[in-house]
Each structure stands twice: as C-alpha cells, then as structure tokens.
C-alpha cells in the first residue's frame, strides 16, 4: 500500500537593490496568491515586518525598523509582498529575506540591499599657501584626485588627505595641497569619485590679481571648462565683508540679471565656450576696487576664479 506524500513547494529568488540614503526604497517580493498568506521580512535573523491574519503585525518588529516599514496592503491579494523601507540608513544595508506562505507552499525571496549617499557638492578654496578640497555626507567611501592646468607632475603636489565617518556612517573626505610657485600660475582641479564610480564631481579654483586705472575699461578674465550641460554663471563682488551679486546667467531659462548694467558687460555666447570674462566699463577706484569671483555651476561641477582688482587713480603731471 502506497503512502500519500505531501510536497511543499519552495522557490528561492535573489535580487540586488541600491537605495539612496534618507530616501524611501522598495524591496521587491512577489508570490502566487492562493487565499490567505503569511508574510515575514527579515534582515539576517532580525524581524523587519510581518503580515498575517490579514493585517500588519508589529509586535516582534526590531526597533531599528520601527515606523519605517510598510507593505502594499491593497495589492497583497494580487501577490505583491514588496516592502517599503522609509528614510534609508547606512545601517540598513545587508541581505533581506521575504518569506511567504500560502496553502500551496512556501517561498523565500532574498534581496541584497546596498546604500549610497550621493555626492552633493565639492568645495575647493585657497587659504594662504594651500588649496583645500572637501566633500561631505557620502557613502560608500569616495576617492579624491588632484590635477592642475597647465598640467604638472602630481608628485610635486604635497597631498594630505583625511577621511572620517560620522555617527550616521557617512564619510567626509578632505585633502590639502601646497601652492605651486606663483599663486596665479595654475588652476587647481579636485575630483571626487563615488565608491561605485557612478558619480564624478569636479571643482576647480584659480586666484589672480588685476590692475587698472580709473575711467579705462578693464577686462577681468575668467576662463573655465566648457559646460556640457545647462549651467549658471555668476559674478560676485566683495568690497568689505558681504558679497553682492553683480551678474547671473541661467542657460536653462536664458535669463540674465545684471545689477551693474551700465558699469559692466559680459558676452553670453562666449560663456558657452567656457569664457565668462567680465569687462568693467568705467571703473572708479573707490567703487570697483575689491574681490571679484566668477562661478560656473553645472551638472556635477563647480568652477571658480577669484580676482583681486585694484583700480588706481592716474597720476597728474605737476607744472613748474
């Protein structure tokens, strides 16, 4: 006499998901719906989310996930057991298991979750005899590279790079190099590359001096990398402490704002080639002497040229 055997159907699937830090993320899981279902989500052995008796069960949920998980409850009857994980943290990375059980059998789906915090900005500043580059709140650990224009032997760049992590697991990377020769001889480029190499953020800085006489046109050069995407060009001026915006151009809207319309001009068409130079039309010593900054901002790039401008009063001859 042959004994009846009961077979339990088990499926094992695996998915890779990358979530962005502090954003919501979906961990996919589906099953063949056949009446009532039990759903358990685990990270390793840690309870993440459970659903049975037709409702969410939060009693065993680990406090790390408290208030941050949900299912697509109206779609469970159609076989959707996907998990929504809100405000993703670095600590959320790891291997998750979605376990579903119906009268037709059990299924296990595994999701490998990785986390990345995107590079939002790279700052480069010249302070005395050093160039400092910094990027914050990044994950995983990025890499930082220096270069100059005109090119120079990178072995001549004394490079001190420091990498630190905060309590959230996000990295700050900061690097310092010494000025090469005369401060105005080089443009300094700093590139930060994300750990998965999906992002390359580049910033640059140049510092220079310019001298002119009252009443004579003065050309303030600003040569920048040619923008490949929509960009914003901005000129600011500092006389004492607070900077004022004297010129902006947005290539997306093609909007121009020039608060020095009768004092300065700029060729917009040249800006598309990377030439953002400004011309002072009738400079005055008491008004236009100061610190000018030309900034080009575009997709994953920011480039600046700082110029100290000194407008002098022409000497007058003495009649004897």
């Amino acid at each position: 006499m042959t004994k009846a055997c009961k077979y339990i159907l088990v499926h094992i699937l695996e998915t890779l998901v990358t979530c962005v830090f502090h954003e919501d993320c979906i961990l996919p899981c589906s099953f063949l719906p056949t009446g009532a279902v039990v759903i358990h989500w685990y990270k390793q052995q840690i309870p993440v989310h459970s659903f049975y008796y037709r409702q969410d069960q939060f009693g065993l949920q680990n406090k790390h996930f408290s208030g941050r998980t949900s299912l697509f409850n109206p779609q469970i009857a159609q076989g959707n057991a996907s998990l929504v994980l809100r405000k993703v943290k670095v600590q959320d990375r790891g291997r998750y298991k979605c376990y579903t059980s119906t009268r037709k059998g059990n299924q296990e789906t595994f999701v490998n979750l990785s986390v990345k915090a995107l590079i939002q900005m790279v700052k480069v500043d010249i302070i005395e005899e050093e160039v400092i580059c910094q990027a914050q709140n990044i994950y995983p650990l990025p890499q930082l590279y220096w270069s100059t224009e005109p090119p120079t032997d990178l072995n001549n760049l004394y490079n001190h790079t420091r990498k630190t992590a905060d309590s959230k697991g996000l990295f700050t990377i900061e690097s310092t190099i010494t000025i090469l020769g005369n401060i105005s001889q080089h443009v300094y480029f700093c590139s930060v590359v994300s750990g998965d190499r999906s992002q390359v953020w580049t910033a640059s800085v140049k510092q220079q001096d310019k001298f002119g006489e009252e009443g004579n046109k003065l050309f303030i050069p600003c040569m920048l990398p040619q923008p490949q995407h929509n960009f914003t060009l901005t000129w600011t001026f500092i006389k004492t402490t607070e900077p004022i915006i004297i010129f902006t151009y947005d290539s997306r809207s093609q909007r121009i704002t020039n608060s020095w319309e009768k004092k300065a001009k700029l060729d917009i068409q040249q800006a598309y080639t990377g030439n953002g130079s400004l011309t002072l039309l009738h400079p005055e010593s008491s008004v236009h002497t100061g610190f000018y900054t030309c900034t080009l901002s575009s997709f994953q790039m920011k480039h600046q040229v700082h110029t100290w401008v000194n407008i002098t009063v022409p000497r007058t001859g003495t009649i004897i």
Side-chain angles (χ1 to χ4, degrees), residues 6-264:
K6 183 179 180 181
Y7 293 94
I8 301 296
L9 182 62
V10 178
H11 295 288
I12 299 179
L13 305 171
E14 191 130 359
T15 307
L16 299 176
V17 172
T18 299
C19 302
V20 177
F21 176 79
H22 214 254
E23 293 187 5
D24 297 349
C25 194
I26 297 175
L27 282 61
C29 180
S30 60
F31 64 97
L32 184 63
T34 52
V37 61
V38 174
I39 302 172
H40 292 296
W41 275 93
Y42 300 94
K43 180 189 177 190
Q44 282 81 44
Q45 302 302 316
I46 300 172
V48 176
H49 194 102
S50 294
F51 177 93
Y52 51 88
Y53 298 145
R54 301 183 184 277
Q55 63 183 0
D56 296 299
Q57 305 288 339
F58 295 106
L60 297 177
Q61 184 182 51
N62 184 275
K63 64 180 182 180
H64 175 80
F65 297 98
S66 179
R68 297 200 297 127
T69 63
S70 64
L71 303 176
F72 295 91
N73 291 37
Q75 300 177 25
I76 291 176
Q78 286 76 49
N80 186 358
S82 300
L83 179 76
V84 178
L85 183 58
R86 297 186 184 86
K87 295 184 177 180
V88 169
K89 305 177 181 181
V90 170
Q91 293 78 9
D92 291 333
R93 68 192 190 283
R95 194 168 189 250
Y96 290 73
K97 179 172 73 173
C98 170
Y99 170 85
T100 58
S101 178
T102 68
R103 60 185 175 83
K104 289 291 186 178
N106 308 326
Q107 175 178 295
E108 291 182 353
T109 297
F110 291 91
V111 178
N112 285 304
L113 186 155
S114 63
V115 178
K116 67 178 180 180
L118 301 175
I119 304 168
Q120 301 294 333
M121 176 68 71
V122 174
K123 292 174 58 180
V124 183
D125 294 303
I126 295 178
I127 300 177
E128 296 180 349
E129 298 300 314
E130 294 181 329
V131 188
I132 301 172
C133 178
Q134 184 188 77
Q136 296 179 307
N137 301 325
I138 306 168
Y139 190 87
L141 182 66
Q143 297 296 316
L144 186 149
Y145 303 95
W146 286 100
S147 62
T148 65
E149 183 61 41
T152 187
D153 185 353
L154 296 181
N155 292 323
N156 294 331
L157 296 176
Y158 173 71
N159 183 350
H160 174 68
T161 301
R162 187 168 56 119
K163 305 168 185 176
T164 56
D166 63 14
S167 60
K168 297 178 182 178
L170 302 180
F171 289 101
T172 291
I173 188 167
E174 182 175 289
S175 185
T176 303
I177 60 173
T178 52
I179 295 291
L180 295 170
N182 188 296
I183 197 170
S184 63
Q185 289 179 333
H186 293 87
V187 183
Y188 296 88
F189 291 86
C190 176
S191 295
V192 178
V193 183
S194 60
D196 61 1
R197 308 194 74 80
S198 63
Q199 274 188 295
V200 180
W201 237 101
T202 302
S204 73
V205 65
K206 177 182 172 66
Q207 191 161 305
Q208 60 190 9
D209 297 326
K210 193 71 177 178
F211 300 91
E213 287 190 347
E214 276 196 345
N216 295 330
K217 284 185 180 180
L218 181 64
F219 181 76
I220 308 175
C222 177
M223 304 306 297
L224 304 158
Q226 183 174 354
Q228 302 300 316
H229 304 272
N230 290 317
F231 66 91
T232 302
L233 179 65
T234 305
W235 274 91
T236 59
F237 171 68
I238 300 178
K239 180 68 177 177
T240 52
T241 55
E242 292 298 321
I244 61 170
I245 297 175
I246 58 177
F247 182 93
T248 60
Y249 174 71
D250 186 332
S251 70
R252 186 186 296 273
S253 64
Q254 297 188 347
R255 181 180 178 182
I256 300 173
T257 303
N258 186 355
S259 61
W260 282 13
E261 189 171 356
K262 296 182 179 181
K263 304 175 184 177

Side-chain angles (χ1 to χ4, degrees), residues 267-319:
D267 188 335
I268 294 300
Q269 295 306 312
Q270 287 295 311
Y272 283 85
T273 69
N275 183 354
S277 303
L278 185 76
T279 301
L280 299 181
L281 300 177
H282 304 286
E284 300 175 33
S285 176
S286 61
V287 176
H288 299 106
T289 293
F291 201 66
Y292 293 75
T293 298
C294 169
T295 303
L296 177 73
S297 300
S298 187
F299 177 68
Q300 296 185 176
M301 60 180 274
K302 183 177 182 179
H303 303 284
Q304 291 189 317
V305 177
H306 303 302
T307 307
W308 168 253
V309 172
N310 187 13
I311 307 297
T312 59
V313 179
R315 294 182 178 180
T316 56
T318 302
I319 300 176

